[in-house]
Amino acid sequence: MLKCRTVWKKLAPLARASSTLCRQNVRRTALNNGRTPAYVPVAHMSSGPAGGGRANQIYVLLVGAACVGGGVYTYRTVKGDGQRYQERIEEISSRPIKTQDSYIQTEPPAVEATETEAVPEPEPEAAPSSEEPSPPAADVEAVIPPETSEAPPETSEAPPETSEAPPETSEAPPAAEPVVEAPPDEAAEPPAAPVVEEAEPSAPCEPPPGELTEPPAAVEESEPSAAAAEPAEPAEPQPEAVAESGDSVAASLKVPSHAPYLLIGGGTASFAAARSIRARDPGAKVLIVTEEPDAPYMRPPLSKELWFSDDPSVTETLRFKQWNGKERSIFFQPPSFYITAEELSSAENGGVAILTNRKVVHMDVRGNKIKLDDDTEISYDKCLIATGGVPRNLQVIERAGEEVMQKTTLFRKIEDFKELDKVSRNVKSITIIGGGFLGSELACALGRRSSEFDLEVIQMYPEKGNMGKVLPEYLSNWTTEKVKSEGVKIISEALVKSVVSKDDKLEIQLKDGRLVKTDHIVAAVGLEPNVDLAKSAGLEVDSDFGGFRVNAELQARSNIWVAGDAACFYDIRLGRRRVEHHDHAVVSGRLAGENMTGANKPYWHQSMFWSDLGPDVGYEAIGIVDSSLPTVGVFAKATAKDTPRAATELSGTGIRSESETEDTATSPVASSTPAPSGSHKDEYGKGVIFYLRDKVVVGIILWNVFNRMPIARKIIKDGEEHSDLNEVAKLFNIHDD
Amino acid sequence: MSSVRDEGKDRIIFVTKEDHATPSSAELVEEDPDDPYEERGLILPSGEINWNCPCLGGMASGPCGTEFKDAFSCFHYSKEEVKGSECLEHFRAMQECIQRYPELYPQEDDKVQKEQSSETEPTSQDSASAETPGADSTSATEPDSDSMPPNTKGSGES
């Protein structure tokens, strides 16, 4: 005991010094099969027990240091997470509650028209149908004027009405039932009914929520039951729900309290599901609830086509030219496709309604209902979770402070596109962190602008080349050269250590010492799937891939499906995975919609994806395309014709709009030898790359070869072992155009 | 001649046109035409119309979806000599509905005709989409444009 203590006292400073030395040495000597660091053997040989004691001390110290380090890290992370969570919650609660305007999906004149029509009608219509509802109808009439933004003095009429209303309320619900049986016959009633519910809560809190919301609640609940679609609809939560919504007056006016098909999230997957449901279930009523202010739109053009548009007002119109030359908007459908949320319950043939600027904060799976951020509850029969994800950020940026955060863009939504477009016109230097699809596409898009706007575009990433995690090394290197020729300064093998704001510029310090000065940062470092609802809903979250864990039919629980970026599903052919591509969102959304209407089909039609990096590099891919897998690439000897643009012009299909100046770029590039790409003289003009897992093709890239995706899909579906992949490559006729 | 090179785990093969001139010896699994999991074209094996076919764009799911389905079903099951002659009322209703949404259905006449012609040649999913019957140029009902592959039309049908 004592001996140990004295030994320890003697050795403590040495042990401490040696432990740091040890740690450094261990790293260096890691490959020496655990040979102990240089310092210790000397001591060991000279003094037996003391040396052994010293080695022990060092060992204990190392372990202790590791534990302490681990503890500190864990504490910091948990704290940081807690902080971030708090910030998020604060941000959400501080978000102003939007007013009526955000709900109206159809053109305002149309809504106004329905309202002004409905105003004179309820009176004459209501009278013949029944006596009971006429006081509520008169109530309605009095309250409607404030809704159609006529003089506020009208609202003073509401209070006198309220004294009449209470005696009515108890009668109103049962009376409203037979009344509402009649409405489907009368054309005017349905517009009156939704107007009723929207008008009532608008009278600012004067009428006690209870009685004025009773008639609409009754109207509402009998409407769907008259439509005879949903047996499971609970009558009780409804008046409660609507009463609650009556409380939160300003926001939740137009929210239906029940939606047979409820889609959480308003992106690609959600829209595809809505379309699928409507196609298969005649008269289906679909409600989409989205956090964003926009109707469903497609994302790929935000990082590609929209940047190449010649139209200076593209940030407003959001229109682009497709591969077939036709122009279209990024929105899947114009606003007239959708019906308003309040029309949903009464729409005879159903429809798709959207609630924008609403976040679902709680999901009650047992009660089949969800709660919005304004406390409104909506019950459902079938629900789809298509919440997508949120762009990840680098920790160093998050911790770098407000000034840095303000000059950082996390790119995903329309507003991010608009912001980045504006920024790119006003700054001198933009740095994109991330070398994957989004980062590379944005780099190319901005790179093309660099000459126009005197803009320096830098792209930095930890991998060796662009798409380093997707393309095999030789192809990644080749692609990187192409990106450079688009005017992008590439900084590869770059790990960001810190970012500071200095003299109105951002200084990015890399771990290897390099310093990059820039005006604005775009972080394209991945997507965090949005599984906020997992907790309240009690749904499983996948630990490997993230996202909600669902089965092969995209089902999480009995009435709950998940599709799109947020779904970690079982692919019968390729195993469990989570895919973050546009086509997958369409395929999975469509499949979810089919299964929500009883199809019971598994994920079978393999989705594909594509990317274009400048005029020379365009590829389509399908399946698992991971650069860590062994690959076999079969390339045609390149000619000047092998570019996406050239190939498609020949085949008669137009690619996205490209200016005439691209013409000159293609031939020299295609035929020249890219010196930096290494020793090989051949150009990777076009070809097919197979990704293998246990000798089976699990992924295919069609490199500058188009219109062959069905063959690729078939090969993956077969899942066969092919002995000679060159023979398989023949199926693609890569030499033909 | 083809050249083969290995770079670590990646194999690179360069082939000339002649190398690929001989037919492929790779064997593909035979397709089952009744596979329930497969994506279907416009007409299902049972003879019914596949309303979820991407080739229909948004026709069956939009505001005029019901009218469209009625008209098209009537036409599809029509046994008259002049196919669809008894369906005029349905088509008129559909036309009326379509006219109420000019933004969604800008070229009404072309579309109706295309529907009828695509009906008479039940095509596979891929080729049906090629002509995009029933799609409007400005609105987003084009099936291939939904999934937006750069050049492939066929694969866009997801």
Side-chain angles (χ1 to χ4, degrees), chain A residues 299-317:
Chain A
R299 286 189 210 287
L302 292 181
S303 60
K304 292 185 271 291
E305 284 87 339
L306 288 183
W307 291 93
F308 305 137
S309 167
D310 301 317
D311 183 2
S313 65
V314 69
T315 48
E316 291 312 314
T317 63

Side-chain angles (χ1 to χ4, degrees), chain A residues 647-718:
Chain A
T648 55
E649 274 172 2
L650 282 167
S651 65
T653 59
I655 202 169
R656 67 219 50 71
S657 97
E658 307 217 66
S659 62
E660 288 311 299
T661 55
E662 305 307 330
D663 238 337
T664 50
T666 52
S667 8
V669 166
S671 53
S672 71
T673 319
S677 84
S679 51
H680 213 273
K681 290 209 201 99
D682 290 279
E683 271 281 317
Y684 301 107
K686 56 183 184 177
V688 187
I689 303 120
F690 300 99
Y691 287 71
L692 302 160
R693 195 170 63 186
D694 301 328
K695 299 196 203 154
V696 173
V697 175
V698 292
I700 297 177
I701 289 189
L702 300 173
W703 190 256
N704 278 338
V705 161
F706 304 98
N707 295 319
R708 268 83 146 171
M709 192 46 74
I711 309 164
R713 186 171 280 124
K714 168 81 180 137
I715 292 168
I716 303 231
K717 185 177 88 154
D718 285 352

Side-chain angles (χ1 to χ4, degrees), chain A residues 493-495 497 508-516:
Chain A
E493 295 178 287
L495 284 161
K497 184 167 162 200
I508 305 172
Q509 179 83 47
L510 300 179
K511 285 207 173 133
D512 58 10
R514 289 179 282 184
L515 185 73
V516 177

Side-chain angles (χ1 to χ4, degrees), chain A residues 255-409:
Chain A
V255 180
S257 52
H258 177 81
Y261 295 98
L262 179 71
L263 312 185
I264 302 177
T268 308
S270 199
F271 181 79
R275 187 177 270 196
S276 194
I277 293 168
R278 288 278 299 157
R280 289 173 50 88
D281 181 0
K285 295 172 184 172
V286 181
L287 178 67
I288 296 178
V289 179
T290 173
E291 259 189 310
E292 290 192 53
D294 305 296
Y297 58 90
M298 43 174 85
R299 286 189 210 287
L302 292 181
S303 60
K304 292 185 271 291
E305 284 87 339
L306 288 183
W307 291 93
F308 305 137
S309 167
D310 301 317
D311 183 2
S313 65
V314 69
T315 48
E316 291 312 314
T317 63
L318 299 173
R319 294 184 73 81
F320 66 98
K321 217 180 252 190
Q322 305 178 77
W323 58 267
N324 56 8
K326 288 204 231 172
E327 215 195 57
R328 63 160 292 176
S329 161
I330 63 170
F331 291 97
F332 287 110
Q333 292 286 3
S336 45
F337 176 85
Y338 306 99
I339 63 176
T340 60
E342 69 265 20
E343 283 172 350
L344 187 65
S345 307
S346 49
E348 203 182 302
N349 292 329
V352 181
I354 310 184
L355 272 184
T356 53
N357 291 308
R358 297 311 205 37
K359 186 174 159 82
V360 177
V361 297
H362 189 276
M363 188 161 179
D364 178 1
V365 170
R366 266 216 279 208
N368 284 328
K369 57 184 194 242
I370 54 115
K371 185 151 64 152
L372 301 177
D373 48 1
D374 57 6
D375 285 337
T376 321
E377 284 191 354
I378 307 178
S379 60
Y380 58 83
D381 293 330
K382 313 266 180 193
C383 180
L384 173 75
I385 299 177
T387 45
V390 171
R392 287 205 179 113
N393 197 352
L394 290 174
Q395 283 217 330
V396 291
I397 294 182
E398 281 185 333
R399 284 185 250 144
E402 192 53 39
E403 273 188 48
V404 172
M405 283 296 281
Q406 274 182 1
K407 292 187 182 174
T408 303
T409 300

